[in-house]
Amino acid sequence: MTQLPLQAVLFDMDGTLVDTERLWWEAVERVAGGLGRPLGEEDQPQVLGRPVEHTADWLAGLTGVHAADLATELHREFADRVRGGIVPRPGALDLLDALAREGIPTALVTASSRAVADTVLEALGAGRFAVSVTADDTERTKPAPDPYLVACRALGVDPIGCVAVEDTQTGVASAEAAGCSVLAVPSLAPIGAAPGRTVLASLEEVTPERLRSLLPYELRVMTWNLWLGGSRVDDHRAKQLKAVLETGADVVGLQETGGTAAGELAEALGWYHHRAGENLGVISRYPITAHFGDPDVGFYGAAGVRLRIGRGSEVDVWTAHLDYTPYGPYESVYDGLPAAELIAHEEARLAQMRDALQRIGESAGNGVPVVLTGDFNCPSHLDWPDVAWPVTKAAEEAGLCDSYREANPDPAAEPGHTWSPIHPVNEDGSGRPEPQDRIDYVLHQGLAVLDSRTYVCGTPRPWPDVFGNDWPSDHAAVITRFAVYRAD
């Protein structure tokens, strides 16, 4: 199991590093009380983790006092309390020192103003932080993701490789929206645990190693049509094994297995596998705990498994193969059919996709992420601006995201063609150029995409001179790296 490396730690200030959240509450309590509006627990979402301007606007709406005047008074009350003494939270300075010793960058990310943050930084030691982001530095502050995204850009790190340390639900929402893992150490209001979020009572005894453990696992999912089991290429099984190992795939959704490929590949790799019918299979380095779909599925259809990933986390992985005829790119390029007719001719594949989506929905576990791999034998509506291809739209409407297009949003710059590395021209002997398109997919729901790419090894010779190719398929594979958060 591969865990992502810790790139940086991003600290909230008020209530997290220093005990100012209570000072801020007391400042707001003093101003609001002076206006005849005592604060209660129900007011915490409007105060804790919020910038002065937000709380001033909220109080203005309740009291009728001008928001700018309230903001000035709140600033003054809070600054007086900050100047009166800043007390680091237990364990905060020890953790900052430990991170510095290990060379792990840190940032201060606060909804307080620059003036207040600089006062705190002076007391803590500004050199402890490579970057500081305040409410004055972004158009939107917490709970929007902007402050954390700005800090990550300034540090040159990816949010998925960072841990944010927060003490309020507002700050947690900001960090999670940016894509960070979160260590929540509540100061005044409770915070519940969630995937990608750990809740502790204190920073005491938190170490860099403990923070590393909060980052998600990496899961590499590959989809691959083996082309009649690979039988058109010599020594195909060894070449298939080589490709799986070179890509570092953790799980592969297979189509056109020739019946035995999933079992033989899994045995050679020491992996787990599921065979469905004569065409579909899934191989995985992680244990398979459940099987989904019809085990006797025909040449076209879908089958799935549930995998146990790491410390209690689960992921459902499905593989699907949809009918290849009629083939939309041929009808568009060769026959010149308009969009409406192309869409109408997708009925058989659309029915197969809807059947697969229904089976996925019926087997889905509460909170268990889903990956759908497959050769859909049709283009994507995300790639063709003038054709709303219904098969991929149906998957999108069911809540599945296209991982390749998430990682590579520009179809012109990154077309991601998977059909076909061995067919530069049509095999009918006409010499017509073969339409190249993206028809193999890794879709998902409930995961974070790290990157996605197509894969072909070597330079395959074109059809029909393919017997000696290093690449034993007529499709390119697609490999997506996902982040999988621990369930606990």
PDB file of all heavy atoms in Angstrom, residues 345-370:
ATOM      1  N   HIS A 345     -28.590   6.054 -32.758  1.00  0.00           N
ATOM      2  CA  HIS A 345     -27.985   4.745 -32.990  1.00  0.00           C
ATOM      3  C   HIS A 345     -27.243   4.202 -31.768  1.00  0.00           C
ATOM      4  O   HIS A 345     -26.672   3.113 -31.840  1.00  0.00           O
ATOM      5  CB  HIS A 345     -27.037   4.823 -34.185  1.00  0.00           C
ATOM      6  CG  HIS A 345     -27.742   4.996 -35.486  1.00  0.00           C
ATOM      7  ND1 HIS A 345     -27.074   5.077 -36.688  1.00  0.00           N
ATOM      8  CD2 HIS A 345     -29.067   5.102 -35.791  1.00  0.00           C
ATOM      9  CE1 HIS A 345     -27.947   5.233 -37.671  1.00  0.00           C
ATOM     10  NE2 HIS A 345     -29.160   5.256 -37.145  1.00  0.00           N
ATOM     11  N   GLU A 346     -27.256   4.951 -30.670  1.00  0.00           N
ATOM     12  CA  GLU A 346     -26.596   4.502 -29.447  1.00  0.00           C
ATOM     13  C   GLU A 346     -27.533   3.722 -28.521  1.00  0.00           C
ATOM     14  O   GLU A 346     -27.167   3.409 -27.380  1.00  0.00           O
ATOM     15  CB  GLU A 346     -26.028   5.706 -28.685  1.00  0.00           C
ATOM     16  CG  GLU A 346     -24.868   6.397 -29.378  1.00  0.00           C
ATOM     17  CD  GLU A 346     -23.625   5.519 -29.414  1.00  0.00           C
ATOM     18  OE1 GLU A 346     -23.256   4.952 -28.371  1.00  0.00           O
ATOM     19  OE2 GLU A 346     -23.040   5.392 -30.503  1.00  0.00           O
ATOM     20  N   GLU A 347     -28.708   3.369 -28.994  1.00  0.00           N
ATOM     21  CA  GLU A 347     -29.718   2.779 -28.114  1.00  0.00           C
ATOM     22  C   GLU A 347     -29.248   1.492 -27.452  1.00  0.00           C
ATOM     23  O   GLU A 347     -29.473   1.268 -26.260  1.00  0.00           O
ATOM     24  CB  GLU A 347     -31.009   2.532 -28.907  1.00  0.00           C
ATOM     25  CG  GLU A 347     -31.744   3.809 -29.286  1.00  0.00           C
ATOM     26  CD  GLU A 347     -33.031   3.521 -30.040  1.00  0.00           C
ATOM     27  OE1 GLU A 347     -33.326   2.323 -30.265  1.00  0.00           O
ATOM     28  OE2 GLU A 347     -33.732   4.474 -30.409  1.00  0.00           O
ATOM     29  N   ALA A 348     -28.601   0.601 -28.203  1.00  0.00           N
ATOM     30  CA  ALA A 348     -28.174  -0.684 -27.629  1.00  0.00           C
ATOM     31  C   ALA A 348     -27.125  -0.463 -26.539  1.00  0.00           C
ATOM     32  O   ALA A 348     -27.212  -1.041 -25.445  1.00  0.00           O
ATOM     33  CB  ALA A 348     -27.634  -1.599 -28.722  1.00  0.00           C
ATOM     34  N   ARG A 349     -26.140   0.370 -26.835  1.00  0.00           N
ATOM     35  CA  ARG A 349     -25.108   0.643 -25.823  1.00  0.00           C
ATOM     36  C   ARG A 349     -25.687   1.376 -24.621  1.00  0.00           C
ATOM     37  O   ARG A 349     -25.301   1.128 -23.472  1.00  0.00           O
ATOM     38  CB  ARG A 349     -23.958   1.450 -26.436  1.00  0.00           C
ATOM     39  CG  ARG A 349     -22.925   0.605 -27.153  1.00  0.00           C
ATOM     40  CD  ARG A 349     -21.769   1.448 -27.641  1.00  0.00           C
ATOM     41  NE  ARG A 349     -22.170   2.317 -28.741  1.00  0.00           N
ATOM     42  CZ  ARG A 349     -22.130   1.967 -30.023  1.00  0.00           C
ATOM     43  NH1 ARG A 349     -21.709   0.760 -30.362  1.00  0.00           N
ATOM     44  NH2 ARG A 349     -22.504   2.795 -30.963  1.00  0.00           N
ATOM     45  N   LEU A 350     -26.615   2.291 -24.894  1.00  0.00           N
ATOM     46  CA  LEU A 350     -27.224   3.035 -23.799  1.00  0.00           C
ATOM     47  C   LEU A 350     -27.988   2.090 -22.866  1.00  0.00           C
ATOM     48  O   LEU A 350     -27.925   2.225 -21.636  1.00  0.00           O
ATOM     49  CB  LEU A 350     -28.160   4.114 -24.346  1.00  0.00           C
ATOM     50  CG  LEU A 350     -28.851   5.001 -23.316  1.00  0.00           C
ATOM     51  CD1 LEU A 350     -27.839   5.712 -22.428  1.00  0.00           C
ATOM     52  CD2 LEU A 350     -29.762   6.025 -24.016  1.00  0.00           C
ATOM     53  N   ALA A 351     -28.687   1.121 -23.433  1.00  0.00           N
ATOM     54  CA  ALA A 351     -29.401   0.145 -22.609  1.00  0.00           C
ATOM     55  C   ALA A 351     -28.414  -0.675 -21.777  1.00  0.00           C
ATOM     56  O   ALA A 351     -28.666  -0.974 -20.599  1.00  0.00           O
ATOM     57  CB  ALA A 351     -30.247  -0.766 -23.492  1.00  0.00           C
ATOM     58  N   GLN A 352     -27.289  -1.054 -22.381  1.00  0.00           N
ATOM     59  CA  GLN A 352     -26.271  -1.805 -21.636  1.00  0.00           C
ATOM     60  C   GLN A 352     -25.672  -0.964 -20.520  1.00  0.00           C
ATOM     61  O   GLN A 352     -25.440  -1.460 -19.406  1.00  0.00           O
ATOM     62  CB  GLN A 352     -25.182  -2.288 -22.597  1.00  0.00           C
ATOM     63  CG  GLN A 352     -25.662  -3.355 -23.564  1.00  0.00           C
ATOM     64  CD  GLN A 352     -24.697  -3.580 -24.720  1.00  0.00           C
ATOM     65  OE1 GLN A 352     -23.774  -2.791 -24.955  1.00  0.00           O
ATOM     66  NE2 GLN A 352     -24.917  -4.655 -25.457  1.00  0.00           N
ATOM     67  N   MET A 353     -25.425   0.302 -20.790  1.00  0.00           N
ATOM     68  CA  MET A 353     -24.892   1.179 -19.750  1.00  0.00           C
ATOM     69  C   MET A 353     -25.896   1.369 -18.629  1.00  0.00           C
ATOM     70  O   MET A 353     -25.542   1.324 -17.439  1.00  0.00           O
ATOM     71  CB  MET A 353     -24.492   2.531 -20.342  1.00  0.00           C
ATOM     72  CG  MET A 353     -24.066   3.577 -19.308  1.00  0.00           C
ATOM     73  SD  MET A 353     -22.689   3.035 -18.264  1.00  0.00           S
ATOM     74  CE  MET A 353     -21.307   3.315 -19.374  1.00  0.00           C
ATOM     75  N   ARG A 354     -27.158   1.548 -18.965  1.00  0.00           N
ATOM     76  CA  ARG A 354     -28.167   1.726 -17.925  1.00  0.00           C
ATOM     77  C   ARG A 354     -28.295   0.481 -17.063  1.00  0.00           C
ATOM     78  O   ARG A 354     -28.497   0.570 -15.845  1.00  0.00           O
ATOM     79  CB  ARG A 354     -29.504   2.093 -18.567  1.00  0.00           C
ATOM     80  CG  ARG A 354     -29.549   3.542 -19.050  1.00  0.00           C
ATOM     81  CD  ARG A 354     -30.818   3.853 -19.796  1.00  0.00           C
ATOM     82  NE  ARG A 354     -30.912   5.285 -20.087  1.00  0.00           N
ATOM     83  CZ  ARG A 354     -31.700   5.798 -21.015  1.00  0.00           C
ATOM     84  NH1 ARG A 354     -32.476   4.997 -21.753  1.00  0.00           N
ATOM     85  NH2 ARG A 354     -31.729   7.104 -21.215  1.00  0.00           N
ATOM     86  N   ASP A 355     -28.171  -0.691 -17.691  1.00  0.00           N
ATOM     87  CA  ASP A 355     -28.192  -1.925 -16.917  1.00  0.00           C
ATOM     88  C   ASP A 355     -27.003  -1.973 -15.946  1.00  0.00           C
ATOM     89  O   ASP A 355     -27.156  -2.342 -14.775  1.00  0.00           O
ATOM     90  CB  ASP A 355     -28.160  -3.136 -17.849  1.00  0.00           C
ATOM     91  CG  ASP A 355     -28.142  -4.451 -17.082  1.00  0.00           C
ATOM     92  OD1 ASP A 355     -29.174  -4.815 -16.495  1.00  0.00           O
ATOM     93  OD2 ASP A 355     -27.078  -5.101 -17.065  1.00  0.00           O
ATOM     94  N   ALA A 356     -25.823  -1.599 -16.441  1.00  0.00           N
ATOM     95  CA  ALA A 356     -24.635  -1.578 -15.582  1.00  0.00           C
ATOM     96  C   ALA A 356     -24.813  -0.581 -14.444  1.00  0.00           C
ATOM     97  O   ALA A 356     -24.487  -0.878 -13.286  1.00  0.00           O
ATOM     98  CB  ALA A 356     -23.394  -1.230 -16.408  1.00  0.00           C
ATOM     99  N   LEU A 357     -25.337   0.606 -14.747  1.00  0.00           N
ATOM    100  CA  LEU A 357     -25.521   1.628 -13.716  1.00  0.00           C
ATOM    101  C   LEU A 357     -26.536   1.178 -12.670  1.00  0.00           C
ATOM    102  O   LEU A 357     -26.385   1.460 -11.475  1.00  0.00           O
ATOM    103  CB  LEU A 357     -25.965   2.943 -14.353  1.00  0.00           C
ATOM    104  CG  LEU A 357     -24.935   3.618 -15.265  1.00  0.00           C
ATOM    105  CD1 LEU A 357     -25.571   4.799 -15.993  1.00  0.00           C
ATOM    106  CD2 LEU A 357     -23.716   4.066 -14.472  1.00  0.00           C
ATOM    107  N   GLN A 358     -27.575   0.457 -13.103  1.00  0.00           N
ATOM    108  CA  GLN A 358     -28.550  -0.053 -12.156  1.00  0.00           C
ATOM    109  C   GLN A 358     -27.905  -1.074 -11.218  1.00  0.00           C
ATOM    110  O   GLN A 358     -28.124  -1.049 -10.003  1.00  0.00           O
ATOM    111  CB  GLN A 358     -29.719  -0.695 -12.891  1.00  0.00           C
ATOM    112  CG  GLN A 358     -30.792  -1.254 -11.955  1.00  0.00           C
ATOM    113  CD  GLN A 358     -31.966  -1.849 -12.699  1.00  0.00           C
ATOM    114  OE1 GLN A 358     -32.153  -1.622 -13.887  1.00  0.00           O
ATOM    115  NE2 GLN A 358     -32.790  -2.629 -12.000  1.00  0.00           N
ATOM    116  N   ARG A 359     -27.087  -1.971 -11.780  1.00  0.00           N
ATOM    117  CA  ARG A 359     -26.411  -2.973 -10.955  1.00  0.00           C
ATOM    118  C   ARG A 359     -25.439  -2.312  -9.978  1.00  0.00           C
ATOM    119  O   ARG A 359     -25.310  -2.731  -8.822  1.00  0.00           O
ATOM    120  CB  ARG A 359     -25.679  -3.976 -11.847  1.00  0.00           C
ATOM    121  CG  ARG A 359     -26.610  -4.857 -12.680  1.00  0.00           C
ATOM    122  CD  ARG A 359     -25.818  -5.783 -13.597  1.00  0.00           C
ATOM    123  NE  ARG A 359     -26.675  -6.548 -14.466  1.00  0.00           N
ATOM    124  CZ  ARG A 359     -27.219  -7.731 -14.153  1.00  0.00           C
ATOM    125  NH1 ARG A 359     -26.969  -8.261 -12.956  1.00  0.00           N
ATOM    126  NH2 ARG A 359     -27.980  -8.371 -15.006  1.00  0.00           N
ATOM    127  N   ILE A 360     -24.742  -1.286 -10.441  1.00  0.00           N
ATOM    128  CA  ILE A 360     -23.823  -0.563  -9.563  1.00  0.00           C
ATOM    129  C   ILE A 360     -24.589   0.076  -8.415  1.00  0.00           C
ATOM    130  O   ILE A 360     -24.178   0.011  -7.252  1.00  0.00           O
ATOM    131  CB  ILE A 360     -23.044   0.491 -10.367  1.00  0.00           C
ATOM    132  CG1 ILE A 360     -22.048  -0.190 -11.319  1.00  0.00           C
ATOM    133  CG2 ILE A 360     -22.316   1.455  -9.431  1.00  0.00           C
ATOM    134  CD1 ILE A 360     -21.391   0.747 -12.300  1.00  0.00           C
ATOM    135  N   GLY A 361     -25.718   0.689  -8.726  1.00  0.00           N
ATOM    136  CA  GLY A 361     -26.520   1.317  -7.690  1.00  0.00           C
ATOM    137  C   GLY A 361     -27.066   0.328  -6.681  1.00  0.00           C
ATOM    138  O   GLY A 361     -27.110   0.603  -5.481  1.00  0.00           O
ATOM    139  N   GLU A 362     -27.479  -0.846  -7.147  1.00  0.00           N
ATOM    140  CA  GLU A 362     -28.050  -1.855  -6.255  1.00  0.00           C
ATOM    141  C   GLU A 362     -27.011  -2.441  -5.306  1.00  0.00           C
ATOM    142  O   GLU A 362     -27.330  -2.842  -4.186  1.00  0.00           O
ATOM    143  CB  GLU A 362     -28.690  -2.967  -7.083  1.00  0.00           C
ATOM    144  CG  GLU A 362     -29.954  -2.523  -7.828  1.00  0.00           C
ATOM    145  CD  GLU A 362     -30.453  -3.567  -8.806  1.00  0.00           C
ATOM    146  OE1 GLU A 362     -29.721  -4.559  -9.072  1.00  0.00           O
ATOM    147  OE2 GLU A 362     -31.570  -3.388  -9.323  1.00  0.00           O
ATOM    148  N   SER A 363     -25.759  -2.504  -5.761  1.00  0.00           N
ATOM    149  CA  SER A 363     -24.720  -3.132  -4.936  1.00  0.00           C
ATOM    150  C   SER A 363     -23.927  -2.133  -4.106  1.00  0.00           C
ATOM    151  O   SER A 363     -23.125  -2.523  -3.255  1.00  0.00           O
ATOM    152  CB  SER A 363     -23.749  -3.913  -5.829  1.00  0.00           C
ATOM    153  OG  SER A 363     -23.043  -3.036  -6.694  1.00  0.00           O
ATOM    154  N   ALA A 364     -24.147  -0.842  -4.351  1.00  0.00           N
ATOM    155  CA  ALA A 364     -23.322   0.184  -3.713  1.00  0.00           C
ATOM    156  C   ALA A 364     -23.454   0.136  -2.195  1.00  0.00           C
ATOM    157  O   ALA A 364     -24.552  -0.009  -1.650  1.00  0.00           O
ATOM    158  CB  ALA A 364     -23.711   1.566  -4.224  1.00  0.00           C
ATOM    159  N   GLY A 365     -22.319   0.245  -1.525  1.00  0.00           N
ATOM    160  CA  GLY A 365     -22.309   0.325  -0.075  1.00  0.00           C
ATOM    161  C   GLY A 365     -22.358   1.764   0.384  1.00  0.00           C
ATOM    162  O   GLY A 365     -21.984   2.679  -0.361  1.00  0.00           O
ATOM    163  N   ASN A 366     -22.798   1.994   1.586  1.00  0.00           N
ATOM    164  CA  ASN A 366     -22.892   3.347   2.124  1.00  0.00           C
ATOM    165  C   ASN A 366     -21.504   3.978   2.231  1.00  0.00           C
ATOM    166  O   ASN A 366     -20.663   3.521   3.008  1.00  0.00           O
ATOM    167  CB  ASN A 366     -23.552   3.308   3.500  1.00  0.00           C
ATOM    168  CG  ASN A 366     -23.772   4.696   4.071  1.00  0.00           C
ATOM    169  OD1 ASN A 366     -23.948   5.657   3.316  1.00  0.00           O
ATOM    170  ND2 ASN A 366     -23.757   4.809   5.379  1.00  0.00           N
ATOM    171  N   GLY A 367     -21.263   5.008   1.425  1.00  0.00           N
ATOM    172  CA  GLY A 367     -19.991   5.713   1.470  1.00  0.00           C
ATOM    173  C   GLY A 367     -18.850   5.010   0.770  1.00  0.00           C
ATOM    174  O   GLY A 367     -17.717   5.496   0.821  1.00  0.00           O
ATOM    175  N   VAL A 368     -19.107   3.872   0.107  1.00  0.00           N
ATOM    176  CA  VAL A 368     -18.032   3.153  -0.581  1.00  0.00           C
ATOM    177  C   VAL A 368     -17.829   3.773  -1.964  1.00  0.00           C
ATOM    178  O   VAL A 368     -18.769   3.815  -2.759  1.00  0.00           O
ATOM    179  CB  VAL A 368     -18.359   1.656  -0.723  1.00  0.00           C
ATOM    180  CG1 VAL A 368     -17.268   0.931  -1.507  1.00  0.00           C
ATOM    181  CG2 VAL A 368     -18.531   1.017   0.645  1.00  0.00           C
ATOM    182  N   PRO A 369     -16.622   4.253  -2.278  1.00  0.00           N
ATOM    183  CA  PRO A 369     -16.381   4.819  -3.604  1.00  0.00           C
ATOM    184  C   PRO A 369     -16.549   3.751  -4.691  1.00  0.00           C
ATOM    185  O   PRO A 369     -16.399   2.547  -4.441  1.00  0.00           O
ATOM    186  CB  PRO A 369     -14.936   5.309  -3.540  1.00  0.00           C
ATOM    187  CG  PRO A 369     -14.633   5.409  -2.084  1.00  0.00           C
ATOM    188  CD  PRO A 369     -15.440   4.346  -1.418  1.00  0.00           C
ATOM    189  N   VAL A 370     -16.829   4.213  -5.916  1.00  0.00           N
ATOM    190  CA  VAL A 370     -17.048   3.323  -7.054  1.00  0.00           C
ATOM    191  C   VAL A 370     -16.151   3.731  -8.206  1.00  0.00           C
ATOM    192  O   VAL A 370     -15.991   4.929  -8.493  1.00  0.00           O
ATOM    193  CB  VAL A 370     -18.517   3.376  -7.522  1.00  0.00           C
ATOM    194  CG1 VAL A 370     -18.714   2.548  -8.795  1.00  0.00           C
ATOM    195  CG2 VAL A 370     -19.446   2.864  -6.428  1.00  0.00           C
TER     196      VAL A 370
END
